[in-house]
Amino acid sequence: MSIRLSSLAAVASLIAAALTPASAQTLRYANQGDLKSLDPYTLRESTTIAHHGQVYEGLVARDKNLQTVPGLAESWETPEPTRWRFHLRKNVKFQNGDPFTADDVVFSADRVRAKGSDFATMVANDTKVIKIDDYTVDFVLTAPNPILISQWDVWYIMDKKWAEENNAVAPTPAAATTPSFASLHANGTGAFSIESHQPGVKTVFKVNPNWWRKPEHNLKEIIFTPIASDATRVAALLSGEIDIMEPVPIQDISRVNSSPNATVMSGPELRTIFLGMDQTRDELLNSNIKGKNPFKDIRVREAFYKAIDIELIKTRVMRGLSTPSALMIAPQLFKLSGDFTRPKYDPDGAKKLLTEAGYPDGFELSMDCPNDRYVNDAAICQAVVGMLARIGVKVNLIAQPKALYFAKIFKSGGYNTPFYLLGWTPSTADSHNVLYDIMGCRDNPNSSRGLTNIGGYCNKEFDALADKVLQETDNTKRDLLIKAAFEISNKDFAYIPLHQQALAWGVSKKLKVAQRADNQVLPYWFVKQD
């Protein structure tokens, strides 16, 4: 099994010694959250993608330096600025024995853009995908896109024949209440196959003996068990019941490090944790304000921002293991991020803004928050509830497991929350992903722009800049365009960025850790020692 610390520095610093021979073993892994669906297009969430990445693969992969390298496509070129041609790897088979061909790529491009997919922005709606022959596929764009493949290591290719035979042509929506065949079964080309999957109980991965790559591990199987309780998860690691756990609760890091059986692998992550507000509905859901949506008033959004004491969250909730952010992207991914500063914590100013907006006594609303997805996510939300109470806003917190949380906020293709906490790691390691997916207008039903823009923020000037960012190849000009876009969204108080969190994995000392050559979603292989 491999793990992801989404930081180039962390990747570099946590490479362990070279592999040593050992007999094949079972790796026992626990996470605070569940793996609800095996359908690789259901939920664009890093931990879920990481599990899928053991079974499925993309046309491209990432090397040890997180650079894009060949995956299921052995090479590619751009015969013209709007045409990308991919030459597919031959003699690759899916885990059921079906051959991998161009038909699977064309099918996957259609499926990933279909209704219910949470990955629709991977392939633009207006892109034509053309089979040239069994091992050549062209992607024809309407405009040049120099970063087209930068996120395709997590766009996984599915078996057309298998999907058609099992009534799995349509992607499984995150809000689905009845599991589909693809949500309970998997058939990829990757290093492991799924032997069994019991959502909420256990998932067993078996090594794929016919994988086209050479394995860099000695594992025979991986057993994943969701363990929601922090105390139970830590106890299982320290007792040797499991080999890896994620995350290690901040308060238990020193305890794990001082134990004879385990250690903590930690490092900064590129995910930005933020708060979002519904700016679309004419009447706010779950609020005592009728016939109006307070968040449509910029003064209310600014008041909420200024009511958040980010330093208190850093010191009390995160215990120093977070980096407060002024932007919706980590500073490692945008070199001009230092030009931005967060508005100062100002509860008195926040109260004044609410009064000016017509809410001198504040108002009441609900807040949705996962309680098993991010580091101390529920505690962060509880802190936010308390801070907003100081300016007269009563927040009724709805904290629940991520499976229920994501199903609710994406219910039936809608966006069903007035106020929420979410995290986002740009899969391209580039600002455009954030500008387009999270912050772009979602008012065009024929566009994938804003697919994960749950609050519905929309500024056409911002979108125009995002479009220019996508096509600009001069890095200096591109950075200035990105800066201008973030200046607009910050002035609009479109979101409330909180911080980039630190990650902490508990790892048994019986494991050797080595960086994967193919990297995929996660950059590490584990080798179990006898």
Side-chain angles (χ1 to χ4, degrees), residues 36-282:
K36 179 183 178 182
S37 173
L38 296 179
D39 189 325
Y41 301 163
T42 293
L43 184 61
R44 195 167 175 177
E45 182 256 345
S46 296
T47 303
T48 298
I49 295 172
H51 285 96
H52 293 162
Q54 311 307 314
V55 179
Y56 289 98
E57 296 174 297
L59 294 177
V60 300
R62 300 271 183 175
D63 67 11
K64 292 183 179 182
N65 297 313
L66 298 184
Q67 299 301 306
T68 300
V69 296
L72 292 177
E74 60 184 9
S75 65
W76 54 86
E77 70 258 1
T78 51
E80 53 192 87
T82 57
R83 182 183 295 267
W84 288 67
R85 175 161 293 172
F86 291 83
H87 301 282
L88 306 183
R89 199 173 297 277
K90 298 178 182 178
N91 301 316
V92 174
K93 293 185 181 297
F94 288 94
Q95 289 144 5
N96 70 346
D98 289 344
F100 161 68
T101 70
D103 290 331
D104 303 306
V105 177
V106 175
F107 167 77
S108 297
D110 290 338
R111 190 180 192 272
V112 80
R113 293 179 287 182
K115 184 178 180 180
S117 169
D118 197 28
F119 290 76
T121 57
M122 293 290 182
V123 182
N125 286 346
D126 54 8
T127 298
K128 295 180 180 179
V129 186
I130 303 169
K131 173 185 174 180
I132 305 302
D133 58 42
D134 281 348
Y135 295 99
T136 311
V137 179
D138 279 7
F139 287 75
V140 182
L141 318 179
T142 56
N145 179 357
I147 61 170
L148 176 77
I149 60 174
S150 59
Q151 62 183 348
W152 278 8
D153 57 312
V154 298
W155 169 38
Y156 297 136
I157 303 302
M158 297 184 68
D159 180 352
K160 176 185 178 183
K161 180 173 177 287
W162 176 84
E164 290 175 343
E165 290 176 346
N166 293 289
N167 194 30
V169 171
T172 311
T177 55
T178 301
S180 68
F181 186 87
S183 70
L184 297 176
H185 305 84
N187 180 39
T189 59
F192 290 86
S193 61
I194 297 292
E195 181 182 71
S196 63
H197 175 57
Q198 299 171 271
V201 181
K202 182 172 68 173
T203 302
V204 178
F205 300 78
K206 288 287 187 180
V207 71
N208 177 10
N210 300 314
W211 191 36
W212 59 275
R213 287 188 186 272
K214 181 181 179 181
E216 300 175 70
H217 62 89
N218 70 340
L219 303 179
K220 185 175 181 180
E221 68 176 358
I222 302 166
I223 299 177
F224 164 63
T225 305
I227 303 178
S229 166
D230 289 345
T232 303
R233 207 165 57 250
V234 171
L237 176 69
L238 298 183
S239 69
E241 182 181 344
I242 58 175
D243 303 303
I244 307 169
M245 61 163 283
E246 194 271 333
V248 179
I250 291 174
Q251 66 271 17
D252 290 318
I253 289 177
S254 60
R255 178 186 171 202
V256 172
N257 276 331
S258 63
S259 74
N261 300 327
T263 188
V264 175
M265 295 175 63
S266 62
E269 193 187 30
L270 299 182
R271 177 184 289 110
T272 299
I273 306 298
F274 62 90
L275 301 175
M277 301 155 281
D278 177 9
Q279 300 167 49
T280 301
R281 284 183 174 82
D282 292 327

Side-chain angles (χ1 to χ4, degrees), residues 25-39:
Q25 299 284 346
T26 295
L27 184 75
R28 300 159 301 173
Y29 160 60
N31 188 279
Q32 66 176 350
D34 186 20
L35 174 60
K36 179 183 178 182
S37 173
L38 296 179
D39 189 325

